Amino acid sequence: VRCFDTARIYVKGGDGGRGCVAFRREKYVPRGGPSGGNGGNGGSVYLEADPALNSLMAFRRQVHFRADHGVPGQGSDMHGANARDLVVRVPPGTTVRERGAGEGAPVLHELLRPGDRALVAPGGRGGRGNLAFKTARNTAPALAEFGEKGQEVWIDLELKLVADVGIIGCPNAGKSTLLSVVSAAKPKIADYPFTTLVPNLGVCNLDYRTTVFADVPGLLEGAHAGVGLGHQFLRHCQRCRLLVHVVDGTSPDPMGDYRAIRQELELFNPQLAAKPQVVAYNKMDVPDSSDYWEDVREGLAAEGVPPGSIFAIRRAPLAAGMLAPSACCWHAGTRCLLLLQAQAPCRKAHPAWARDPTARPPPSHPPRPACLPAGAAIERFAQMTDWGYYEAARRFQRVLVAAGIDSALTARGVMEGDTVVIGDLEFEYSCDKSES
């Protein structure tokens, strides 16, 4: 059994639909003009927090998520339909980072509450048809655009459970039993260590308030360095408002266990040790445990634990309805109720001015590549240009001149026959800018 609280997925927005080149050919409509419609927009990929999920196990079998493409435009001024957006469900508490980014890297998105949405891969816009290029000077344009490609990216998902109260402690201290008593959760309970291998959540309703408990398994000495299961699950304590530290009274050294867990919290994240904490001394029904209760309470008080935050509990009785007094903790203006029970490749595109290489005189120097950092706008413009139309190539040439890219190439020393790369397109530079 494994807890999938980290995942790496691939998301891609849908490509925009291709624009259409068409002309009206109707009886009694002379010179009907262009009628090519625009392509539809591609679908976007969203992440949405779903309260029905509590792990990232769904991404174990499915890693790739692709939105649909937009519908191409058609004649008679018919625009293509926009594609539907793709919504990927994730559990609340999921953070999104770039692929390979470390723990300290900035978070792209954070979905904490049910219903939160985050756009991770926007879809491409549809290409324009020839009707959109009609002007007073050019009444019959013969060009259209490809649809913009949707964004594609690999992202890392990390789940940090959103809970009001986190139950921590050494293995076999009674954390799962406490969770099963204070909530309706039914975790696996047995008399051996590491019974719980995945975090368990339980919800308790008291006084018209809802409190979420999280059982954090696998904490022991060296957990921050990867010993046991703690390195994997310590992150789930970061969003808890209150920590319940369950101390096993039958342990040979209860105070040593308490200090070891506290040290692991400080080494993993100093903010964890500063969170409000309640200590529950468990298994008081065992004589070897109850005999040392007073000594342990004095030791906890010496460690700085307030006397009102120290409780002695025993194993769950047969009557599950018996409740012990509750402890209340205020943190960031939120009241957390704690119930303690009896247990508690580059493709080439040749513009119109690039003449036939066989008719061109050989350059005076060997061709050398020239990569141009043109920016996202010109790269998108080059990708959406349909090189099958002569007017589209002329339009691209005019944009290069108007944007100053042509003069920048000349200033860089680009000469006849050099290779110029703009985005995914590769061109052979020519100094001839004539209409031919």
Side-chain angles (χ1 to χ4, degrees), residues 127-412:
R128 291 177 292 178
N130 64 336
L131 179 60
F133 294 99
K134 179 181 178 181
T135 62
R137 299 180 59 182
N138 187 7
T139 58
L143 77 157
E145 291 179 331
F146 288 119
E148 181 185 2
K149 291 186 178 296
Q151 182 179 354
E152 53 182 330
V153 64
W154 284 88
I155 56 177
D156 289 339
L157 305 180
E158 181 181 354
L159 173 61
K160 297 180 181 178
L161 295 180
V162 179
D164 299 314
V165 180
I167 305 175
I168 62 175
C170 292
N172 203 29
K175 303 183 296 296
S176 298
T177 306
L178 174 61
L179 179 67
S180 66
V181 171
V182 300
S183 68
K186 297 181 179 180
K188 180 181 178 181
I189 299 174
D191 58 350
Y192 55 86
F194 294 104
T195 306
T196 304
L197 299 178
V198 297
N200 295 314
L201 290 178
V203 179
C204 173
N205 293 319
L206 180 67
D207 194 20
Y208 303 101
R209 296 177 183 270
T210 299
T211 304
V212 180
F213 291 83
D215 175 16
V216 181
L219 297 186
L220 45 78
E221 189 173 1
H224 74 281
V227 177
L229 303 176
H231 185 263
Q232 185 178 2
F233 299 128
L234 272 171
R235 65 171 64 94
H236 298 299
C237 302
Q238 296 180 353
R239 290 206 174 104
C240 297
R241 298 184 177 92
L242 174 69
L243 297 179
V244 178
H245 193 157
V246 181
V247 178
D248 187 2
T250 61
S251 171
D253 187 7
M255 288 302 302
D257 295 343
Y258 171 81
R259 296 189 186 98
I261 299 300
R262 289 285 298 179
Q263 184 178 7
E264 295 304 317
L265 296 179
E266 294 178 359
L267 293 177
F268 182 78
N269 190 344
Q271 297 179 357
L272 290 180
K275 287 182 177 291
Q277 182 181 155
V278 172
V279 180
Y281 184 77
N282 195 14
K283 304 180 183 180
M284 281 289 291
D285 52 341
V286 180
D288 293 341
S289 175
S290 58
D291 294 342
Y292 300 101
W293 156 239
E294 296 296 336
D295 296 336
V296 173
R297 182 169 58 178
E298 294 177 1
L300 292 174
E303 294 287 338
V305 181
S309 300
I310 305 175
F311 295 88
I313 58 178
R314 67 180 188 272
R315 292 179 179 176
L318 298 178
M322 300 175 60
L323 295 178
S326 63
C328 299
C329 175
W330 291 83
H331 180 59
T334 302
R335 184 189 184 195
C336 299
L337 295 178
L338 169 65
L339 297 181
L340 296 177
Q341 179 168 12
Q343 147 55 31
C346 293
R347 81 186 150 86
K348 288 183 175 290
H350 299 282
W353 68 80
R355 298 174 295 175
D356 186 5
T358 60
R360 179 181 301 169
S364 57
H365 63 89
R368 45 198 175 90
C371 183
L372 176 66
I378 192 63
E379 290 178 6
R380 181 172 59 251
F381 180 72
Q383 179 262 311
M384 297 182 66
T385 301
D386 190 346
W387 304 102
Y389 296 100
Y390 169 74
E391 293 187 17
R394 290 181 53 192
R395 174 171 171 259
F396 185 78
Q397 174 182 326
R398 291 195 300 268
V399 170
L400 290 183
V401 175
I405 297 177
D406 188 74
S407 59
L409 287 173
T410 305
R412 285 194 175 194

Side-chain angles (χ1 to χ4, degrees), residues 10-15 45 120-124 149-153:
Y10 168 86
V11 291
K12 183 184 185 306
D15 299 339
V45 182
V120 291
K149 291 186 178 296
Q151 182 179 354
E152 53 182 330
V153 64

Side-chain angles (χ1 to χ4, degrees), residues 73-134:
Q74 300 181 20
S76 301
D77 194 17
M78 291 191 295
H79 301 303
N82 298 330
R84 290 184 177 181
D85 296 330
L86 176 62
V87 179
V88 181
R89 310 289 178 178
V90 297
T94 302
T95 58
V96 184
R97 288 186 173 89
E98 294 181 355
R99 177 182 180 180
E103 182 73 21
V107 176
L108 300 180
H109 305 284
E110 197 169 14
L111 296 87
L112 299 180
R113 294 171 295 275
D116 287 353
R117 270 197 175 193
L119 176 63
V120 291
R125 67 177 179 88
R128 291 177 292 178
N130 64 336
L131 179 60
F133 294 99
K134 179 181 178 181

